Amino acid sequence: VQKIVKIRQPSAPENSPKTEMAPVHQNHSRPVSYYAVHCSSDDLFGCIGKTRANFCRKLIGKKFAMKLDKRKELHVTLAYLKDKPNCRKSAAVKKIKGFVGRQVEVRICGMACDGKAAAFVAEGVYFVESDGAVEKVPCLNKLPHLTLAVNGASNRYSNDMLESGMYEYVEVKGVVKGIVRANMY
C-alpha cells in the first residue's frame, strides 16, 4: 500500500548523493526545456553491483562495439517541453515542478541494447519522505531510462529503441539517487 504525501515547496535535499552534482541552471530568462533526474554515472553503475556492472560494460563495449557516455552525470528525462508548449501547463508537469531540487530514487530494472543505443530501463522514479512514505514522480516518457551509449544515433533514439521492443534485454536491479532539475537550452 502506497501512502501519498503532500508535495512541499522545493528545498535542498536532506541527504545529498555521494558525488558532487553540477549546479542547477539558474538562467530564468529562457523557458525550461526539460525536467530530469540527474544521477552520477559512478553511483548508477555502483547501484547494480560490481559483477552486473562489469557484465553490462562488456556487453555494450565488446558485443555491440559502443563506447559508454563519458559524462559524469546521466539523466532520466521526466518531461521534454522544448517542442510541446501545451505540455507546460499539464498537471503532471506542475507536479514535477514541485520536485525540482529534491533528491529522488530511480529504480533500475534492466538494460536494453540494440547496437545503436544502450540504456538502463527504470521501473520508475520515486520521492521517499523521511518517514518512509513513497510518492511516484510523474514521467512523460513511456519508458523512463538513462541513456548509457549511442552509436551513430541521437540521444532521442533511446526512446525509439525502447518503444520498438527490438533490443536485447538484461535484467539488472538497483536503486540510484538523483536530483530533479529544470534544464534550459
Side-chain angles (χ1 to χ4, degrees), residues 35-174:
Y35 291 95
V37 178
H38 292 263
C39 307
S40 153
S41 58
D42 290 338
D43 289 348
L44 180 59
F45 276 98
C47 84
I48 65 170
K50 189 175 181 176
T51 303
R52 275 295 199 193
N54 288 337
F55 175 79
C56 289
R57 284 184 178 108
K58 285 179 184 173
L59 184 68
I60 292 167
K62 292 191 177 176
K63 181 171 183 179
F64 290 104
M66 290 191 294
K67 292 186 179 181
L68 284 169
D69 194 318
K70 296 283 187 202
R71 291 178 288 184
K72 292 289 181 192
E73 262 184 36
L74 299 174
H75 69 272
V76 176
T77 301
L78 299 173
Y80 186 79
L81 307 171
K82 193 169 183 183
D83 55 358
K84 301 174 185 171
N86 295 335
C87 240
R88 292 182 186 280
K89 295 181 182 179
S90 72
V93 170
K94 287 179 183 177
K95 191 169 183 178
I96 291 167
K97 283 181 186 180
F99 290 106
V100 170
R102 301 182 115 190
Q103 184 173 0
V104 295
E105 293 182 348
V106 178
R107 297 181 184 170
I108 306 297
C109 59
M111 186 187 78
C113 192
D114 73 350
K116 288 185 183 177
F120 277 137
V121 180
E123 171 248 309
V125 176
Y126 299 87
F127 176 71
V128 181
E129 288 278 359
S130 57
D131 67 359
V134 176
E135 183 174 359
K136 191 165 187 171
V137 177
C139 181
L140 301 184
N141 269 346
K142 289 181 185 172
L143 295 164
H145 64 279
L146 296 111
T147 300
L148 302 170
V150 290
N151 187 15
S154 70
N155 283 338
R156 164 80 185 114
Y157 179 76
S158 295
N159 291 302
D160 300 335
M161 172 190 71
L162 292 169
E163 288 175 21
S164 77
M166 302 297 292
Y167 49 79
E168 287 194 38
Y169 186 83
V170 177
E171 186 175 298
V172 290
K173 300 280 185 191

